[in-house]
Amino acid sequence: MNPRNPRIASFVALVVTLTPCLLYFVGAIGHDAVKLVTLIGTIAWFIVTPMWMGRESSVTDRDVQI
């Protein structure tokens, strides 16, 4: 994973957090597996997301036309 783009890591962590819930809903995995994988994804998301949330956007008001 590219350390210069933490948004990708943040998205992957979010997918890891949500996927076990869907797999449990369809009966593919058990409850203990859901808890473990969701916990891991949540921790990863909370670690990675602040790395890019505070960054300045490269798009300015002049670049956007409404």
Side-chain angles (χ1 to χ4, degrees):
M1 203 165 293
N2 186 358
R4 291 180 163 225
N5 196 351
R7 291 181 185 197
I8 294 172
S10 178
F11 178 74
V12 169
L14 185 61
V15 169
V16 169
T17 301
L18 296 176
T19 302
C21 302
L22 298 173
L23 292 174
Y24 180 74
F25 181 71
V26 297
I29 62 175
H31 189 253
D32 289 335
V34 172
K35 291 191 297 184
L36 177 64
V37 176
T38 303
L39 177 65
I40 292 168
T42 302
I43 291 170
W45 189 84
F46 273 104
I47 290 171
V48 174
T49 301
M51 293 179 186
W52 66 268
M53 288 292 289
R55 291 190 178 172
E56 292 293 324
S57 176
S58 60
V59 178
T60 64
D61 297 3
R62 289 178 239 143
D63 297 333
V64 178
Q65 181 180 4
I66 297 176

